[in-house]
Amino acid sequence: MEMTSTNQRKWVALDCALLLVALILALLFPHAVFGGTKKSKNQAADASKPAAPVAKQDTSLLVWPSPPNVGRVRYVNYFAGMPLEHTDDSQPPKKQKASWMDRLAGVQDPNNKNHYKPVPFQLLEPYGMAVNSKGDLYVADARVGAIFIFNTETKATTIIGNGREATFGLINGLAFDDDDRLFVTDGKLHRVLIFDKNNKVVDQIDHGLIDPVGIAIDTENRQLYVVDTQADQVVVYDADTLKEKRRIGTGGKNHELTTPGNFSLPTFVALDKDGNVYVTDTMNFRVEMFDADGNFISSFGKHCDSYGCFAHPKGIAVDSDGHIWVADPMLDLLQAFNQEGQLLGVVGGHGNLLGQFSLLSAVYIDKNNRIFTSEQYPGRVQMFRYITDAEADQLKKDKETKRTSTHGSATEAKADAKADTPTK
């Protein structure tokens, strides 16, 4: 009994010692003892801090070609859809009762102070583009089934919607005449719709077309050009009477023709200031040029996956200096050529960053030397500024003048310093 009592006293003393050690450790190192059950003050403070902002892309560096060359294309902006509109917290919203169906579906509480108005329209697959006399950008989006209208200064956005202002099947190309009439090609409904300047349908071309895609208007010669992709032809109409005048290319050959003046699945069309016509002959991997009467002039292009080549040429535009810009979705490159087909410059490359492209489809250049490009993914339009030949020459002169002036000032400073140096 004596030994048992002694052992018990020893175990009690040991338990008390261990308890005391644990208490000391808890006081000195609370994180070690209570880790995962209670946050420290520093942890709570860190959790309350907002996440570090993601570094923004420096768009001032988006110039092609890059310095020290004189830039000929500069990134300006992009458009993706209707912007988010936050509710005004200074004016508390009226209480709205959520229905049991909303709660069941998990719809956001309408009385939440920080809720956002829904974003009804975002670009999903933008394609053809055009700019009206006011400078507003119109974009056809086949997947949304609407024409987006962007104010390029404020990004304010409205739409011409399917089932509201018009009925669309598969809208592709857009073009404006000098009266701000909007011409819209619809491949599924085999027609061209014409809207007035108030975006109301006033007329249509609903015969003789299989798959209208690209479209352009010669306002001087009053000719409307419509690319009928499946027919392998460009159909020319009188822009006022909408009567067919002629066709460029031979149809009915199952996209097999490669001879000059014929096409294999052509896509887009563009005009220069002299009325010459430029067509992307997509599956022949070339651009073909015709005069205003439809006579073949020349062509350029070859099939490869490098600069100066075409893999799947689609969009096409001509700038004020007569350079030909071609969009290629397979290469995700926007390439500029002269009239002889020589490569002048390249913009883009695969990627989702600004200045890059992801399934680049169309290109449009307005009278203010703004270049617009549409991408199927992630669904956006980018805007660039084209630096004309005259502007580039002036920039070169200014750069040379500055260099000469700087060099002269340095030489003078060196001479002055030498003159001020005392002779021994």
Side-chain angles (χ1 to χ4, degrees):
M1 293 292 294
E2 182 66 23
M3 284 296 295
T4 303
S5 178
T6 302
N7 289 337
Q8 287 177 339
R9 286 195 295 271
K10 286 182 179 180
W11 283 111
V12 170
L14 181 60
D15 289 342
C16 291
L18 290 174
L19 182 61
L20 180 62
V21 170
L23 180 60
I24 293 172
L25 289 174
L27 293 173
L28 294 177
F29 307 104
H31 301 302
V33 178
F34 301 107
T37 62
K38 185 176 181 180
K39 291 184 178 179
S40 69
K41 292 183 178 179
N42 290 337
Q43 286 176 317
D46 291 341
S48 64
K49 291 180 180 179
V54 179
K56 293 184 178 180
Q57 190 174 354
D58 186 356
T59 57
S60 66
L61 302 178
L62 299 180
V63 182
W64 296 266
S66 57
N69 301 292
V70 174
R72 300 304 302 272
V73 177
R74 296 174 183 167
Y75 171 85
V76 178
N77 211 333
Y78 81 96
F79 307 91
M82 288 183 166
L84 284 167
E85 296 182 22
H86 194 280
T87 55
D88 185 3
D89 291 338
S90 64
Q91 299 292 331
K94 296 180 179 179
K95 290 285 184 177
Q96 299 180 27
K97 186 177 180 180
S99 70
W100 68 270
M101 293 183 65
D102 290 337
R103 292 193 295 271
L104 183 63
V107 174
Q108 186 178 10
D109 180 5
N111 300 310
N112 185 345
K113 182 179 179 181
N114 293 318
H115 80 279
Y116 287 84
K117 293 180 181 179
V119 182
F121 299 107
Q122 294 292 115
L123 289 174
L124 296 179
E125 291 184 9
Y127 207 48
M129 299 164 289
V131 173
N132 66 8
S133 63
K134 298 178 182 179
D136 295 329
L137 171 66
Y138 285 59
V139 182
D141 193 310
R143 186 173 173 188
V144 177
I147 299 171
F148 286 71
I149 307 171
F150 295 100
N151 181 309
T152 56
E153 298 296 327
T154 66
K155 284 194 173 183
T157 311
T158 56
I159 69 163
I160 301 174
N162 184 24
R164 301 192 323 184
E165 292 81 8
T167 299
F168 299 130
L170 183 65
I171 50 177
N172 293 310
L174 305 177
F176 278 103
D177 68 3
D178 46 6
D179 292 323
D180 268 351
R181 288 190 303 167
L182 175 64
F183 293 72
V184 183
T185 60
D186 192 318
K188 186 175 182 179
L189 299 181
H190 323 294
R191 67 184 183 185
V192 177
L193 281 181
I194 298 99
F195 295 77
D196 64 15
K197 61 182 179 181
N198 298 314
N199 301 326
K200 304 297 182 183
V201 176
V202 293
D203 214 334
Q204 65 178 340
I205 301 172
D206 59 356
H207 57 276
L209 293 171
I210 301 173
D211 182 26
V213 179
I215 187 169
I217 299 176
D218 182 346
T219 57
E220 293 295 325
N221 297 312
R222 309 305 303 165
Q223 296 191 134
L224 173 68
Y225 295 86
V226 179
V227 178
D228 194 330
T229 299
Q230 291 299 324
D232 292 328
Q233 293 179 317
V234 176
V235 188
V236 186
Y237 297 90
D238 184 292
D240 299 309
T241 66
L242 305 181
K243 292 182 178 180
E244 183 177 326
K245 297 178 66 176
R246 61 179 174 274
R247 294 187 174 225
I248 304 173
T250 304
K253 299 299 182 180
N254 198 29
H255 323 306
E256 296 176 351
L257 296 179
T258 61
T259 51
N262 286 308
F263 308 107
S264 176
L265 295 175
T267 312
F268 278 93
V269 58
L271 307 171
D272 65 18
K273 57 187 176 182
D274 296 322
N276 295 316
V277 184
Y278 302 79
V279 183
T280 45
D281 189 6
T282 302
M283 295 313 296
N284 282 327
F285 315 107
R286 65 188 179 188
V287 171
E288 294 200 83
M289 293 173 276
F290 305 84
D291 65 19
D293 295 322
N295 300 309
F296 175 78
I297 299 176
S298 63
S299 66
F300 67 86
K302 59 181 178 179
H303 185 208
C304 73
D305 58 358
S306 183
Y307 293 161
C309 298
F310 297 133
H312 199 76
K314 274 194 171 183
I316 189 167
V318 182
D319 65 36
S320 57
D321 293 318
H323 306 135
I324 306 156
W325 298 75
V326 183
D328 194 315
M330 296 294 289
L331 303 178
D332 277 329
L333 291 177
L334 179 62
Q335 303 185 82
F337 301 86
N338 62 16
Q339 295 289 325
E340 289 71 42
Q342 297 173 324
L343 181 65
L344 301 177
V346 174
V347 177
H350 296 295
N352 290 325
L353 294 176
L354 299 175
Q356 296 178 329
F357 301 121
S358 183
L359 202 58
L360 171 68
S361 295
V363 57
Y364 179 86
I365 303 177
D366 72 0
K367 62 182 180 181
N368 294 316
N369 297 311
R370 298 183 301 177
I371 302 175
F372 298 92
T373 58
S374 63
E375 301 163 67
Q376 300 287 288
Y377 306 101
R380 68 180 176 186
V381 170
Q382 296 191 67
M383 179 171 71
F384 305 85
R385 169 70 160 83
Y386 167 64
I387 309 301
T388 65
D389 289 345
E391 290 172 328
D393 289 340
Q394 185 60 50
L395 288 172
K396 290 178 183 178
K397 290 178 183 179
D398 293 344
K399 186 176 181 180
E400 181 62 25
T401 300
K402 184 177 181 180
R403 188 192 69 80
T404 304
S405 176
T406 303
H407 179 71
S409 299
T411 303
E412 292 175 3
K414 186 175 181 179
D416 291 341
K418 184 176 181 180
D420 293 339
T421 302
T423 57
K424 294 183 179 180

